[in-house]
Amino acid sequence: MNWSEELEGRILGVRENLARVWEQVARAALKTGRDPGSVKLVAVTKNVSLEVMQEALAAGIKVFGENRVQELVAKQPRLPGDIEWHMIGHLQTNKVKYIIGKVSLIHSLDSLRLAREISRRARERGLVAEVLVQVNISGEETKYGVPPGEVKSFIEEVAGLEGVRVRGLMTIAPFVSDPEQVRPVFRELNRMAGWLKRELPGLPLDYLSMGMSNDFTVAVEEGANIIRVGSAIFGPRP
């Protein structure tokens, strides 16, 4: 199979995969009495070509999420301007300046140093950057995120920065073969979000970003209203 045939096959598969993902989202949401339309699907486009992304747009995708700053800034000018872009990967402070004003939501706020840099760069442009606090619910040493016991004080400090607005929480569950094994992780983040809304009533903690290709149905059942799905839409990537 040559490159063009492989690309054509991948493009044709996007629509079928996307329909399957939406069906699973709807089933999971309805199972818990929620409106499937309340769940925002972020299509994770790491290593996805522009041609395939354009097909995803045609199939109804409205939100793209990138893990790497350099990939986001390379793709964005070459795609329609009405796309909603999210930064979902770990963000280094020296890369913040490249994405301020270019993304609707940063999912991976995990340190005060990063929060201050986001605030500084946003204020320079007269903007307020919307962010999610990444929480390391599972306690894995290999994952970034604020420890659960520090989240409230962390959000209180970030709330004092003029250029940042915390909109909710994000977590990455351990990768396991059985998604049921990570249900407690999602349930705990949802519980934490509810507690924080009561403790910090002045903050718009609206978003719960959790669930990826292997576990998004369980995440939706446990209250996710943003899911980050890549390979279930685009297939395996390099």
Side-chain angles (χ1 to χ4, degrees), residues 27-80:
R27 192 181 306 124
L30 293 171
K31 182 178 178 180
T32 54
R34 297 173 61 204
D35 175 7
S38 67
V39 181
K40 176 173 287 194
L41 172 61
V42 178
V44 180
T45 48
K46 177 182 176 182
N47 293 335
V48 175
S49 70
L50 290 170
E51 293 87 352
V52 174
M53 291 175 71
Q54 286 166 339
E55 180 62 19
L57 282 171
I61 289 290
K62 297 179 174 62
V63 187
F64 287 152
E66 283 289 348
N67 294 75
R68 298 171 179 159
V69 169
Q70 57 268 40
E71 197 166 348
L72 188 153
V73 298
K75 290 174 175 177
Q76 192 176 54
R78 302 173 67 185
L79 290 166

Side-chain angles (χ1 to χ4, degrees), residues 99-119:
I99 64 165
I100 293 299
K102 295 182 178 180
V103 298
S104 297
L105 189 64
I106 297 170
H107 288 231
S108 48
L109 178 63
D110 59 3
S111 73
L112 284 173
R113 181 167 174 258
L114 178 60
R116 292 183 182 117
E117 179 65 8
I118 293 171
S119 175

Side-chain angles (χ1 to χ4, degrees), residues 21-22 24-26 28 34 36 38-44 63-65 86 88 107 132 171 186 208-213 215-221 223-230 233:
V21 167
W22 275 125
Q24 292 172 315
V25 168
R34 297 173 61 204
S38 67
V39 181
K40 176 173 287 194
L41 172 61
V42 178
V44 180
V63 187
F64 287 152
H86 290 203
I88 62 173
H107 288 231
L132 304 179
T171 199
F186 300 142
L208 207 56
S209 172
M210 54 189 194
M212 301 194 296
S213 287
D215 55 21
F216 68 86
T217 56
V218 172
V220 171
E221 289 174 5
N225 55 14
I226 300 179
I227 56 174
R228 312 176 305 274
V229 181
I233 298 172

